[in-house]
Amino acid sequence: MGPHPAVAAIRLAVRRVLHDVLTEFHRYADHDRPAEAARRPAHAARSRYAEAGAAGRQALPERPALPEQPDTPLVLVACSGGADSMALASALAFEARKLAVRAGGITVDHNLQAGSGLRAAEVVTRLTAMDLDPVEAVAVHVGREGGPEAAARDARYAALDAAAERHGAAAVLLGHTRDDQAETVLLGLARGSGIRSLSGMAAASGPAGRYRRPFLQLDRQTARKACLVQSLPVWDDPHNIDPAYTRSRLRHEGLPALEKALGKGVVEALARTAQLSRDDADALDTWAAEAELSVRDDTGRLECAKLYVLPPAVRRRVLRRALIDAGAPAGSLFARHLEEVDRLITGWRGQRAINLPGRVEAMRQGGRLVIRQS
């Protein structure tokens, strides 16, 4: 008799991701060996893979790799102790034993609740009992910039990035489910964000595709059921039901209200919208990258007349790329900023220079769009 359907589903999702990690790992290792095997140790291939990532991304400078088991990639699971991440950790531990993959775990202590250090230690104990190695708890300080949820997320990802670098991990698995994806889409919609925001979370993201989300096609109840049938203890974070947090209100009030009004299937529809939006956004980004080469003069300045004839969605992507290249922080560039810069192209009335985040300014001079730091 096979495993419970919920357990089988989470294991299959993780198995697919691990096969991708192994394929990419060996692809980059094989690429390195013919030309460089005589000049550098075998573990350098793993270092390059960890930086180069998926889908043919350009390799970044190498970093030191762990000397032991150089031909075996390390995959870490980010585990809070909740049902989603405990289910993910159990599936990783099971599947890694059958593949040429080393499996470890990281838990982040945000220091936002009494006893958080003790809970982090309990998670370490549970992950160690699954034979994951290395396993560690990392304590972080959560600031205030962007609000409590954004600040906690920034601190968490910084800690996970550092852990991945420290251990030479090929990938870090995250337990986001289809329900999380639906919530992300709705939050983007409420902010009036563009199609990239509506595309939600990618299956692979972060530096060189480091972060992998195997459960984006699975619902939250499947993960919880998998924990129940495997007798895995889970911790329910009280922040997840605290109405002070926007995502919590959406989860316990907003989505149920939508399902009551529209019927079941809202979560699945929103997740499907995310994928369709991501496909469209990727296509537009590619178009914009190609168009950018054709709208610059011989000195590299953007020509307003050539920008004007581009479709608005493409033009604004070209402008956003140019602003970020000039030093504007991507996270601080909002739609209103791009609209103001866009009016220098489409509604020119002799406007003055526009001040943007990162001390970047944009102005129109002699039919050219000049973007520079002030």
Side-chain angles (χ1 to χ4, degrees), residues 255-336:
L255 270 172
L258 282 175
E259 290 198 333
K260 182 178 180 180
L262 303 176
K264 294 293 184 181
V266 170
V267 168
E268 292 87 344
L270 288 168
R272 190 162 56 250
T273 296
Q275 185 56 58
L276 294 172
S277 297
R278 181 165 298 280
D279 292 343
D280 290 348
D282 288 346
L284 287 168
D285 285 347
T286 300
W287 187 355
E290 295 171 351
E292 185 176 1
L293 302 175
S294 67
V295 296
R296 293 186 181 274
D297 63 17
D298 293 339
T299 65
R301 294 183 299 174
L302 293 167
E303 298 188 61
C304 295
K306 292 181 178 179
L307 284 168
Y308 182 84
V309 300
L310 291 176
V314 177
R315 181 174 61 246
R316 288 174 184 170
R317 280 170 166 76
V318 172
L319 295 177
R320 188 174 188 274
R321 289 165 59 97
L323 294 172
I324 292 172
D325 288 345
S332 300
L333 277 177
F334 303 128
R336 59 183 175 84

Side-chain angles (χ1 to χ4, degrees), residues 162-187:
E165 294 287 342
R166 186 164 57 252
H167 294 291
V172 178
L173 305 189
L174 304 177
H176 296 123
T177 64
R178 186 170 62 193
D179 301 80
D180 297 308
Q181 184 75 297
E183 293 162 8
T184 301
V185 172
L186 282 177
L187 288 170

Side-chain angles (χ1 to χ4, degrees), residues 64-85:
L66 295 179
E68 70 274 10
Q69 302 183 37
D71 294 326
T72 307
L74 171 65
V75 176
L76 300 174
V77 57
C79 185
S80 66
D84 301 342
S85 59

Side-chain angles (χ1 to χ4, degrees), residues 17 44-45 57 77 79 86 174 241:
V17 169
R57 291 181 176 86
V77 57
C79 185
M86 284 298 293
L174 304 177
I241 58 173

